Amino acid sequence: MENNISNRFVKCIENLLQGRILCHALTPDLYRYLKEENENGEYENEDRINVFLTKMGRRLVKTSDEMGYYCCISNYDEGEAKAEGRAFIKKAAHEFEPLIKWLRIIRSCSQDSRPVCADDIIKPSEISHSLEESEILCKMLKDIANSFKVASNSNDISKILLAVIKYLVKEEYLVDANGDGLIYRATAKWSQFYDILEFVKQNEGFDRDKHLDSEQRQTDLFATANMTEVLVPDYSNKDEPKVLS
Amino acid sequence: MSSKFIPKNAVRAIYNHYELLAQACLNNSGAISITEDKKALSELSAQKLLTVLDENLEYRMNSKVRALIDYLEGHMRFRQRHGDIEEIIDDLKEAVAKYNRTYHKGDLRNTNRAYSEVRDYVGDLFDAIDEIIISFYQLIDEDYSIVSDIDEKLHQMHRCTDELGKINEIFRRLTVGSIEEEFHSDDPLINRLLYKNISTKISVSLSEITVLGEKIVKRIDKLNQEKKILERNHLIDFFAEIYADRADFTPNIDSYSLPPQFTFAAPMAICFTPELNTQNDGIPDYYRTYAAETLNEVPKTKAPPPSSINPEVTDKRDVTFRLNKSIIEKQVDYFLQAVLSEQVKESLSASRGYTLLKIAMLKISLEDWMYMLIIGYQELPASVSSKIVIDPVLVNIHPTYTGNQFFRDLVFRKKTASP
């Protein structure tokens, strides 16, 4: 028993240091280990891992929805830490567009327009069905395949879909749930992806710009309405049109 | 001239203009602006339900009417009512005290009146409790799928949980023990009313509150989930729009100030030390696997071809070699000899040897000394080392993850000697 606990501890450390995200879909055993509560309701294992990582200049971090754990640099004031963090986000940013397109495809397959969340089940058969019905979705899938540089020469949508899924499995966004390629499970890398998107959105000042933009448009609309003179025919006097101010 | 006041007409006026009155109670503390429907205002004023306050340009609802509407609306809308309950309990306490005074005086008429007052407060208390529970159910069972403002609903839910907590606190005042302490009476009639009726009601209400609490927690979870989904959908649409407008969009990450959770660490290469000969069960099997793999991966050192080696062989037989040992090695030998010596009857600890042999003067730490003693012990011939037993003085360092044992001293003793 003790040996098993020790194994899980070591595996957690190894996976985290190697830059992997620990979640229920990807590493169920390790995720359960981290989520184990002691009699006081505290996450003791989480603390142990964090203490160990701190000695190595690392820190255990959870995604904002608490569906996944990953490793960050503990002394975040250091320039090196920031450089590593920026490099990670830059790398992720290269794939923003195809991943967003993928999220839109999956969302359109969902009956309640639900975006992909960690631990969600994804069935390629259902995606194929939606793709058959929509040219736009097919085009989006081809764009994704081009961005990922997979199946770029193929015109067979199901092959492209499988190639994209295979790429996402390789990048650990998806996990083949049963190993037969029929059902996939979304990992907490999506949670991390949403966190990064939110962070980029805030830092690019889009919130402010969009808000100002919509206000500006609204004001412009009123301004235009005030200034426009509307001509309507005056039936009492058919000689000249009447101006309504 | 105002129309004649007839109670039934007043009730009809309330019925006809109930929405106006209810909104005024809910949103404006019973005040109605003079800009409202004039006919309605004059009808309500005629039945003494409203009074005009000129300086404020508004009508004020009669407090009794307001209390009635508040009571009726309380079943439909959630409001914080723990203060009311507390007030009723205080009133009840006073009424019981008053009853006790008249009961002891033997004044039957006043006693009956006081008893009636106690009953009224008990009734009010029951009504207030029912009202709260019904209003909570109303709030929780509402169909949230049509609600667009999730934040508002979450806010309401958090208010509910706060209110439930406060009501729970108040109900503690109404346990049998507390009632006995606070509302004591010598009359069995009052005691029956207080102990039996209130206790039963509170017990039922508490179980209702527990169910409500669980429902609220579930509802909050669901709302939070819905909120998260909504936010994520907005985020996806937002960036889809950005990329549709500017296909070459690249975030300017260098200008960002990175918060702690975004200082992602680059993957770290992990090395393993092969420890194939260990008998320690604490070392996992996969360590051995890794170690074996590492050994297989390491290219074997190519020995230089024998032809390139040209050793000079000289005959050194009959020459005596002198083994030059360092001071510390000699000290290790002395120590081990002392352990084996017949003259030394007792066991010797490494720390004692460290002091006696003045190892510190050689600028060697106790840890290094112990390490050297272990090496010295291992270098002894098996026939000699088998005569020595080493007992580590263990230290409990929590948590020990690797299966290693920590010790602060080593005690050496002869195998036959007692420790």
Side-chain angles (χ1 to χ4, degrees):
Chain A
M1 180 67 185
E2 186 63 35
N3 195 18
N4 186 32
I5 289 169
S6 174
N7 279 353
R8 289 198 289 171
F9 176 88
V10 175
K11 280 185 182 174
C12 275
I13 297 288
E14 282 172 14
N15 279 289
L16 288 166
L17 289 178
Q18 283 167 345
R20 289 186 86 197
I21 195 158
L22 304 186
C23 65
H24 185 253
L26 209 55
T27 51
D29 191 32
L30 304 185
Y31 182 73
R32 272 197 297 273
Y33 172 72
L34 285 167
K35 284 276 178 192
E36 269 171 25
E37 288 181 26
N38 64 10
E39 59 271 20
N40 300 323
E42 293 158 349
Y43 296 119
E44 206 173 41
N45 297 333
E46 204 182 280
D47 293 341
R48 281 179 183 171
I49 296 278
N50 201 25
V51 167
F52 191 89
L53 287 175
T54 311
K55 287 176 186 167
M56 304 185 74
R58 298 287 186 272
R59 201 163 45 89
L60 187 67
V61 179
K62 277 188 263 191
T63 54
S64 62
D65 58 2
E66 301 197 352
M67 295 297 277
Y69 291 88
Y70 59 95
C71 182
C72 270
I73 296 172
S74 59
N75 192 356
Y76 52 86
D77 286 333
E78 278 180 16
E80 198 183 334
K82 289 189 173 168
E84 274 189 36
R86 286 203 177 93
F88 186 95
I89 300 173
K90 273 181 192 169
K91 196 180 163 213
H94 285 304
E95 293 188 336
F96 273 4
E97 196 180 0
L99 289 176
I100 285 164
K101 281 183 178 165
W102 174 258
L103 288 172
R104 290 178 70 198
I105 290 177
I106 301 295
R107 192 175 61 175
S108 64
C109 300
S110 153
Q111 284 181 346
D112 49 359
S113 293
R114 189 182 146 85
V116 176
C117 295
D119 240 16
D120 279 1
I121 294 285
I122 290 169
K123 293 180 181 169
S125 56
E126 284 177 3
I127 305 171
S128 290
H129 187 69
S130 298
L131 289 169
E132 279 167 18
E133 291 172 348
S134 167
E135 274 296 315
I136 298 168
L137 293 183
C138 288
K139 193 182 170 303
M140 275 166 73
L141 185 70
K142 283 178 186 171
D143 289 345
I144 295 168
N146 281 332
S147 301
F148 289 159
K149 297 186 177 68
V150 292
S152 358
N153 299 326
S154 179
N155 280 324
D156 186 344
I157 287 297
S158 43
K159 273 187 187 168
I160 298 174
L161 176 64
L162 286 179
V164 169
I165 289 178
K166 207 174 160 188
Y167 178 84
L168 292 172
V169 170
K170 194 188 96 195
E171 292 297 315
E172 297 192 330
Y173 282 100
L174 297 177
V175 176
D176 190 348
N178 300 329
D180 53 8
L182 296 175
I183 297 172
Y184 290 86
R185 202 175 268 278
T187 69
K189 271 202 106 172
W190 291 110
S191 311
Q192 198 181 49
F193 177 70
Y194 289 121
D195 288 349
I196 295 174
L197 277 188
E198 188 64 53
F199 174 63
V200 169
K201 187 184 168 194
Q202 284 166 8
N203 277 274
E204 290 291 323
F206 285 134
D207 281 342
R208 194 180 61 246
D209 290 352
K210 282 274 162 183
H211 182 65
L212 285 176
D213 194 32
S214 73
E215 269 190 0
Q216 190 64 41
R217 270 189 223 161
Q218 192 69 45
T219 321
D220 288 349
L221 196 66
F222 285 129
T224 316
N226 286 337
M227 290 171 71
T228 307
E229 291 177 336
V230 182
L231 297 177
V232 292
D234 181 3
Y235 295 104
S236 59
N237 183 1
K238 290 179 182 175
D239 295 332
E240 283 182 33
K242 193 179 177 182
V243 176
L244 295 182
S245 55
Chain B
M1 187 180 166
S2 59
S3 57
K4 196 182 171 187
F5 172 76
I6 302 167
K8 274 188 181 176
N9 285 355
V11 174
R12 192 176 295 121
I14 292 174
Y15 179 81
N16 288 339
H17 305 293
Y18 183 80
E19 287 302 321
L20 175 69
L21 295 171
Q23 284 302 319
C25 284
L26 195 73
N27 301 328
N28 211 14
S29 311
I32 302 175
S33 164
I34 59 164
T35 57
E36 292 288 347
D37 181 15
K38 283 200 166 35
K39 195 184 161 199
L41 291 175
S42 64
E43 201 179 323
L44 290 164
S45 305
Q47 300 307 325
K48 317 287 182 206
L49 302 171
L50 299 181
T51 319
V52 68
L53 296 174
D54 286 333
E55 61 271 28
N56 288 332
L57 298 173
E58 64 183 17
Y59 284 82
R60 180 145 295 274
M61 203 182 301
N62 182 287
S63 62
K64 296 277 190 300
V65 178
R66 199 180 147 198
L68 171 68
I69 290 173
D70 275 344
Y71 169 68
L72 297 171
E73 282 295 299
H75 293 88
M76 305 301 292
R77 292 192 174 90
F78 169 76
R79 283 178 302 133
Q80 292 196 327
R81 296 296 309 276
H82 64 274
D84 292 357
I85 294 184
E86 212 154 21
E87 213 170 284
I88 295 169
I89 294 169
D90 288 338
D91 289 344
L92 178 64
K93 198 176 166 185
E94 271 181 36
V96 171
K98 191 176 163 189
Y99 176 84
N100 285 339
R101 283 197 299 274
T102 53
Y103 178 74
H104 287 298
K105 278 182 190 169
D107 183 348
L108 190 63
R109 198 173 150 204
N110 281 336
T111 306
N112 282 341
R113 196 178 291 157
Y115 180 65
S116 173
E117 206 177 325
V118 171
R119 280 174 62 88
D120 281 350
Y121 283 124
V122 172
D124 284 354
L125 182 67
F126 285 9
D127 285 346
I129 292 169
D130 283 343
E131 190 186 322
I132 286 165
I133 287 168
I134 291 171
S135 72
F136 271 55
Y137 270 114
Q138 185 84 14
L139 186 77
I140 292 161
D141 292 338
E142 205 180 319
D143 185 7
Y144 282 92
S145 59
I146 56 164
V147 174
S148 57
D149 193 348
I150 294 173
D151 283 332
E152 178 56 31
K153 281 290 154 198
L154 272 170
H155 173 66
Q156 289 253 33
M157 283 292 142
H158 286 302
R159 275 181 66 205
C160 273
T161 44
D162 286 352
E163 180 73 354
L164 276 180
K166 284 171 187 165
I167 290 170
N168 210 19
E169 283 290 312
I170 292 164
F171 279 4
R172 282 188 192 170
R173 281 182 68 182
L174 299 174
T175 55
V176 178
S178 308
I179 291 172
E180 206 171 356
E181 201 178 295
E182 286 198 45
F183 305 88
H184 181 72
S185 175
D186 295 333
D187 186 3
L189 202 64
I190 284 283
N191 286 340
R192 185 182 142 76
L193 180 71
L194 293 175
Y195 296 158
K196 195 178 172 193
N197 293 5
I198 293 183
S199 298
T200 313
K201 183 76 184 174
I202 294 301
S203 160
V204 171
S205 303
L206 276 173
S207 59
E208 289 266 21
I209 280 177
T210 310
V211 174
L212 276 168
E214 285 167 7
K215 279 194 169 193
I216 286 177
V217 169
K218 279 184 192 164
R219 187 66 74 188
I220 287 176
D221 281 350
K222 191 171 173 248
L223 283 168
N224 273 326
Q225 212 177 350
E226 282 175 15
K227 191 182 172 192
K228 197 87 203 157
I229 287 171
L230 196 72
E231 283 170 359
R232 285 182 173 177
N233 271 334
H234 281 314
L235 203 60
I236 293 167
D237 292 340
F238 178 82
F239 274 95
E241 205 180 310
I242 292 281
Y243 280 106
D245 290 347
R246 297 156 57 189
D248 58 342
F249 167 72
T250 316
N252 184 16
I253 293 154
D254 289 329
S255 65
Y256 298 176
S257 165
L258 285 191
Q261 72 270 27
F262 287 114
T263 51
F264 299 100
M268 190 185 273
I270 299 175
C271 302
F272 297 89
T273 311
E275 198 177 359
L276 299 173
N277 298 323
T278 181
Q279 295 302 312
N280 188 348
D281 290 336
I283 293 179
D285 289 341
Y286 67 89
Y287 266 5
R288 296 192 181 92
T289 317
Y290 278 132
E293 282 171 7
T294 313
L295 281 178
N296 289 335
E297 280 168 16
V298 174
K300 282 175 187 165
T301 326
K302 283 181 182 171
S307 58
S308 66
I309 304 169
N310 190 16
E312 284 180 22
V313 181
T314 48
D315 190 355
K316 292 250 177 166
R317 282 175 292 184
D318 300 332
V319 176
T320 308
F321 285 95
R322 186 176 179 78
L323 193 62
N324 289 324
K325 283 193 169 185
S326 66
I327 300 170
I328 187 67
E329 283 170 332
K330 284 177 187 168
Q331 301 288 36
V332 171
D333 284 350
Y334 290 155
F335 181 85
L336 293 171
Q337 279 169 24
V339 172
L340 288 165
S341 166
E342 288 301 322
Q343 292 172 354
V344 180
K345 300 285 179 197
E346 57 194 5
S347 57
L348 274 177
S349 73
S351 58
R352 198 170 163 213
Y354 185 79
T355 319
L356 290 173
L357 296 169
K358 297 176 181 171
I359 304 296
M361 290 179 72
L362 301 171
K363 293 183 181 173
I364 288 169
S365 67
L366 178 62
E367 288 80 11
D368 289 343
W369 168 245
M370 285 197 278
Y371 188 64
M372 283 167 183
L373 285 180
I374 292 170
I375 294 171
Y377 168 79
Q378 284 173 342
E379 283 175 352
L380 289 173
S383 57
V384 182
S385 66
S386 62
K387 291 178 185 168
I388 300 176
V389 177
I390 304 175
D391 295 319
V393 182
L394 292 173
V395 182
N396 280 332
I397 296 177
H398 182 76
T400 53
Y401 301 117
T402 56
N404 291 331
Q405 288 186 326
F406 295 87
F407 53 87
R408 59 179 164 79
D409 202 357
L410 294 168
V411 179
F412 292 77
R413 61 183 167 85
K414 281 190 281 294
K415 204 163 193 176
T416 47
S418 58

